[in-house]
Structure formats: C-alpha cells, structure tokens
Amino acid sequence: MEILDYAFMQRALLAAVLVGITAPAVGIYLVQRRQALMGDGIGHVAMTGVGLGFLLSASPVWMATLVSVLGAVLMELIRWYGRTRGDIALALLFYGGMAGGVLFINLAPGGSNANLTSYLFGSLSTVSESDVTAICLLAAFVVLVALGLRRQLFAVSQDEEFARVTGLPVRALNLLTAVTAAVTVTVAMRVVGLLLVSALMVVPVAAAQQLSRSFAATFAVAVAIGVTVTIGGTVTSYYQDVPPGATIVLLTIAAFLVLTALAAPLARRRARALAAGDPPADPAECAIPATRAPDGRAGV
C-alpha cells in the first residue's frame, strides 16, 4: 500500500491504533460514572502542559501528561470536597488551562498559536518518533489499568457505596481512573486533538451500548469501533487532505447513528423470540403471590 511507504504515516497509523484502543477502554468507566465530559475538561488543562513544553524546550507530550495528571487529581479533590462551589472551581480550572496554554506558547521563543493548532485538532505529519515512543509507553499503562483492574473499576463505577462496603479502596480507584483518563487524553492529542478527544472516549461506548448490555461485550465492541474509526479517519485524512481529528470524530458519530438505527429492530426481534420461547403463564388466580423477606429479598 502506498500509504505505508511513508514513515510519518506509519507513525500516524500506529498512534491511531493505540488511541482507538485506549480511549474507549477508559471511556467506558467514565460513562458508567456519568462523567462523560471529564476528558474534555482534562483536554483543556493539558493545553497548559503543551504550552509549558514549548516554553521550557521540553517534550510537549510528557509535559502535557504531567500537567493533565495534576489537573485530574485536582478535579477529583474538588469533586470530593468542593460541594456547592465545586462547579465554579472546575470552570476556573478548565478556562485557566486553556488560557495558560495560549499564554505560555506565545511566550516561548518562536512560539505562536499556530504551534498549538496541531495539538488542539490533531495532525498526522507532526507525529514524531519521540511522540510514538511516549504514546506507546502511556498506552501500555492505560491498557494495564483498564484491563488489570476492570472488576474493581467497574464496581466503583457502578456503585461507590457498595464498593466501599465490600472493602475496595474507592478513593484510590477514583484517583486512578482520573489519572488514567488524563494519560489517555495525552495519548490521543496528537491524532484526534485535545478539543475532540472526549468524543472518542465517549461515543464508541455509547454506540456499543446500543448492541450489547454486558460490560465485557460493550468493552470489546467499543474498542473495535474505536480502532476502526481511528484507522479509517487517518487513512481518509491522508487521501482527502482533511483534518484527522474532525474526520475521526465524524466517523465515530456516524457509527453511533448506524448502530442506533440497527438497535431498535434487533431489540424487537429479540423480544419476539423471547416471547415465543416462553411457556404459557399460569392464570392469574393460580399464581402464587410473592412475599418479601425481612431483608427485602423476594421469596415465596
């Protein structure tokens, strides 16, 4: 294939595959926790890290990782202790992150807002070998956490009180989820962009939920969608000369719409098959009324 003859496209495709895996792998926990926009907030904070990278002549990817991790931890602390003023504190954090990124990159020698554009919306030609190395290391961490602690993270995402009663370190797991989300944002920013990465963390999961209800199936389908759209968007961007981040996000939304359209008839077909396979119910007068045990469980 012609596209594989170019080193920059090889790097871009590898980064795209890693983004397609990691973003939905973390996004499924954020969706369960009803924190779908957390990735968007972290993306705003990461802009300060990118600007500091240019200002200090350091790697923007690693600097963005450091700043976004600190921002994610601060967001969790605000969620725990912020109470009624928490939303204002989060707004200040998000807007301050954007403003800091723009200010620092303009203070950097030879820096301008044009340098920030590739990080905001993604860019194929600017993915360097050092970026690929950083993305591979960060993606390995994300996958290890998302898969290795899937039972614990799922329990906390579903019901924090129940998880706390069972002895799980809820606050530590919440912090780990926030840190993993922050790392995922920096993994994806070179391909999708900081302003669009949240869509890739959330929409594939929402699309997968249209077809499956179990956690394992939703996880697998979401990752499959993520990999498909990131590769498809990267290839389309190369041949059609369109922005990769916007193309990937639009393909993701298209996948969601298609699966949503298919989900309704599939659900009706399953319902009819289930109804046809059920044995006839007893007449109402023959049914045994259910009672409830003192602990609230149903019994007879």
Side-chain angles (χ1 to χ4, degrees):
M1 294 177 63
E2 175 195 350
I3 192 173
L4 297 178
D5 293 337
Y6 300 97
F8 79 94
M9 283 307 301
Q10 295 172 8
R11 295 192 294 268
L13 286 170
L14 175 58
V17 170
L18 294 176
V19 171
I21 294 171
T22 55
V26 174
I28 191 170
Y29 301 111
L30 299 182
V31 171
Q32 292 292 330
R33 289 155 56 100
R34 293 176 175 82
Q35 294 180 332
L37 295 180
M38 184 177 184
D40 188 51
I42 295 173
H44 287 66
V45 175
M47 289 173 61
T48 292
V50 173
L52 280 174
F54 280 97
L55 180 63
L56 302 176
S57 299
S59 169
V61 174
W62 288 114
M63 190 61 68
T65 301
L66 176 61
V67 173
S68 60
V69 166
L70 293 176
V73 171
L74 185 57
M75 288 167 63
E76 274 299 302
L77 294 177
I78 291 172
R79 190 171 72 90
W80 294 343
Y81 303 114
R83 302 184 186 278
T84 56
R85 295 290 181 178
D87 57 338
I88 298 176
L90 288 175
L92 292 174
L93 184 64
F94 297 165
Y95 300 143
M98 292 181 65
V102 174
L103 176 63
F104 290 142
I105 204 165
N106 279 278
L107 290 176
S112 67
N113 290 340
N115 299 116
L116 199 58
T117 302
S118 64
Y119 291 90
L120 292 178
F121 303 105
S123 175
L124 297 180
S125 59
T126 58
V127 180
S128 64
E129 291 185 5
S130 61
D131 289 337
V132 171
T133 301
I135 289 171
C136 288
L137 293 174
L138 295 172
F141 167 78
V142 172
V143 172
L144 285 175
V145 172
L147 291 179
L149 296 175
R150 62 188 181 280
R151 296 181 185 277
Q152 294 89 335
L153 294 177
F154 176 75
V156 173
S157 300
Q158 287 294 105
D159 191 334
E160 287 191 4
E161 292 302 321
F162 176 77
R164 187 174 288 108
V165 170
T166 59
L168 290 176
V170 172
R171 287 196 171 180
L173 290 170
N174 281 336
L175 276 176
L176 183 59
T177 302
V179 169
T180 308
V183 172
T184 303
V185 168
T186 55
V187 168
M189 70 179 182
R190 301 300 278 140
V191 176
V192 185
L194 291 172
L195 296 184
L196 299 174
V197 63
S198 185
L200 196 58
M201 298 172 74
V202 173
V203 180
V205 177
Q209 288 177 335
Q210 305 302 311
L211 297 181
S212 57
R213 291 294 177 265
S214 72
F215 175 79
T218 301
F219 189 100
V221 174
V223 170
I225 294 172
V227 172
T228 301
V229 297
T230 50
I231 292 177
T234 302
V235 172
T236 303
S237 177
Y238 171 77
Y239 285 109
Q240 301 298 323
D241 193 23
V242 291
T247 306
I248 290 171
V249 170
L250 290 176
L251 287 176
T252 310
I253 294 173
F256 172 79
L257 295 176
V258 170
L259 293 180
T260 300
L262 294 175
L266 287 175
R268 288 195 295 268
R269 185 178 303 175
R270 289 196 199 102
R272 286 196 298 267
L274 184 62
D278 283 345
D282 293 329
E285 61 269 22
C286 298
I288 301 175
T291 61
R292 291 207 169 264
D295 60 359
R297 293 179 299 178
V300 293

